[in-house]
Amino acid sequence: PSPAEGKSSIASNLAIVIAQGGKKVILVDVDFRKPKNNPHFFIPNDKGFSDVLRGSLEVKDVLHQWKEDLSIINTGIAPPNQVDLLSSKRMGEILEDLRQLADVVIIDGPPLIFPDSLALSPKVDGVLIVLRYAFSRRATSQGLMKQLAHAGARVVGVVLNSVPVQRTKYYYKYKY
């Protein structure tokens, strides 16, 4: 729902794990407010998804092969009209193009408190909510779930991130 809950880390790690499983994956960063040039990937952000949305480049021009089955698309330079672009017909066409290029497309979008994410949410197959333990507020999360439902989004699950691992007597000998 809000920044600093770990959505970019979860998206990146999910993309890596799915690719390691033999699926062809494209990870797309569309959080124009705070582009996350993930330290795993070291890809320059001088051109990216914003250029494709504006029509100045094609998907193949901004697609960076990271590993055999994993490609990355960075945000590029932030456009001034993010909500309009993400809710546009062009966005739907680009998503369809991406679906033809990969088995799985993971979109690392903006936090749900921003209107960009609500504009984008009905265009994707599913939304995975990332909540951070002892950080996310219940009322905020519940309100955003209602907004997602109203926008026509399909919530496929929730990840609870940064859960502390505590030793219990039962698991102590296994050193969890």
Side-chain angles (χ1 to χ4, degrees):
S2 56
E5 301 212 36
K7 66 172 187 54
S8 294
S9 295
I10 295 295
S12 298
N13 287 315
L14 184 61
I16 291 168
V17 168
I18 293 172
Q20 287 173 339
K23 299 275 187 187
K24 194 168 176 91
V25 179
I26 298 175
L27 174 62
V28 184
D29 186 357
V30 298
D31 186 355
F32 298 114
R33 295 171 191 281
K34 190 174 180 185
K36 192 71 157 186
N37 196 355
N38 193 298
H40 286 110
F41 307 125
F42 302 107
I43 297 170
N45 199 30
D46 55 338
K47 60 182 181 177
F49 196 74
S50 61
D51 299 296
V52 178
L53 272 173
R54 287 186 289 230
S56 59
L57 293 173
E58 296 296 321
V59 168
K60 63 178 175 52
D61 300 325
V62 298
L63 195 62
H64 299 277
Q65 190 77 33
W66 186 67
K67 294 282 185 183
E68 183 180 342
D69 289 327
L70 178 57
S71 298
I72 314 293
I73 299 176
N74 281 340
T75 58
I77 307 302
N81 53 344
Q82 301 156 15
V83 175
D84 294 338
L85 288 173
L86 291 175
S87 61
S88 70
K89 180 181 176 188
R90 174 86 176 126
M91 180 65 186
E93 293 166 355
I94 295 167
L95 289 174
E96 193 54 44
D97 291 345
L98 291 170
R99 285 182 185 106
Q100 301 302 316
L101 296 173
D103 299 315
V104 178
V105 178
I106 297 176
I107 306 291
D108 181 9
L112 292 171
I113 60 170
F114 297 115
D116 323 19
S117 61
L118 291 175
L120 178 62
S121 63
K123 294 197 173 294
V124 298
D125 294 334
V127 176
L128 182 65
I129 308 293
V130 177
L131 302 174
R132 190 169 124 203
Y133 179 83
F135 179 83
S136 301
R137 299 286 171 234
R138 181 181 300 187
T140 303
S141 301
Q142 289 172 336
L144 289 169
M145 291 293 285
K146 289 177 185 174
Q147 287 181 345
L148 283 169
H150 182 65
R154 180 173 167 248
V155 176
V156 295
V158 177
V159 173
L160 185 58
N161 196 20
S162 299
V163 177
V165 178
Q166 298 175 352
R167 292 186 178 175
T168 64
K169 290 181 182 179
Y170 179 77
Y171 288 110
Y172 184 75
K173 66 181 176 182
Y174 297 104
K175 299 191 190 252
Y176 284 109

